[in-house]
Amino acid sequence: MSKETLLPKLAAHVLEHGVGGASLRPLAKAAQTSDRMLLYHFGNKETLIRELLAYIAGVYSAALDMALRDTRPLTRHECFDRVLAQGKQPMMQPFMVLWWEIVAGSARGLPGYAEAAEEMITKQLDWLQSQMPEDDPDPAGGARYLLTLLEGTLMLGVIGHADTAREGLLASNMAED
């Protein structure tokens, strides 16, 4: 048993049940090991959660990579449409729910949540920047812009305001009529 074999099992558990109430015993049970063995591999619960969230962010990015293929979009609009369509897929919903749980924990000032959110956003921005069109004059700025639109659009859709998001995107020329 190693971190590499434990992380997928732990990720499946957290994606199904969330991270807020994750204690060592349920995590160990999900990974078919003991809480002592988790501490042996990760040192402490905070490190375990940080590495687990980093692993999940990597799985999320890999899923987006597979869905978006190797072809870079020609425009920011095309990039936005591809990522948004993938973010709305049922298989991506557990990732989105977990992400919003981390955001809420960060807003509440829960220990480790702000650091996890910062690390995950940094990875997402790096990934999104790599998806910008090759001739984009400001890929870093474009990634920040699209991430802002994507986060807002997905969140508004989940709370029943998809029309609000669509109207906002129309106003920014990021949606088709």
Side-chain angles (χ1 to χ4, degrees):
M1 196 166 284
S2 66
K3 284 184 181 183
E4 292 73 28
T5 60
L6 291 169
L7 285 170
K9 294 175 184 179
L10 295 169
H13 177 79
V14 167
L15 286 168
E16 184 176 344
H17 300 286
V19 73
S23 63
L24 287 177
R25 285 198 175 116
L27 288 171
K29 184 177 180 183
Q32 300 169 329
T33 190
S34 69
D35 50 346
R36 288 182 187 194
M37 193 55 81
L38 289 179
L39 291 174
Y40 170 79
H41 285 291
F42 295 96
N44 58 49
K45 182 181 174 185
E46 292 76 23
T47 301
L48 183 153
I49 296 297
R50 188 179 69 248
E51 290 187 35
L52 176 57
L53 294 177
Y55 174 82
I56 291 170
V59 171
Y60 178 76
S61 292
L64 286 173
D65 280 340
M66 286 177 40
L68 299 179
R69 304 171 304 280
D70 293 332
T71 309
R72 283 179 90 156
L74 298 176
T75 65
R76 286 182 181 181
H77 189 273
E78 181 184 348
C79 182
F80 175 81
D81 286 345
R82 285 184 184 183
V83 177
L84 182 62
Q86 188 59 26
K88 290 180 176 180
Q89 293 298 313
M91 69 175 271
M92 300 306 268
Q93 293 314 297
F95 293 99
M96 300 309 298
V97 170
L98 178 61
W99 169 241
W100 291 322
E101 182 181 349
I102 293 165
V103 170
S106 182
R108 286 189 183 105
L110 297 177
Y113 279 72
E115 294 83 1
E118 171 64 31
E119 189 173 331
M120 293 173 86
I121 283 292
T122 298
K123 286 183 180 189
Q124 289 304 109
L125 280 170
D126 289 345
W127 178 84
L128 197 52
Q129 185 173 337
S130 76
Q131 299 299 309
M132 290 289 102
E134 289 185 20
D135 63 349
D136 193 292
D138 181 12
R144 287 180 178 90
Y145 173 65
L146 292 187
L147 183 64
T148 301
L149 291 176
L150 288 162
E151 287 291 324
T153 301
L154 289 167
M155 186 271 303
L156 287 168
V158 167
I159 62 169
H161 277 267
D163 289 343
T164 301
R166 184 167 173 17
E167 289 169 17
L169 291 172
L170 286 168
S172 71
N173 295 320
M174 288 303 289
E176 303 286 326
D177 246 340

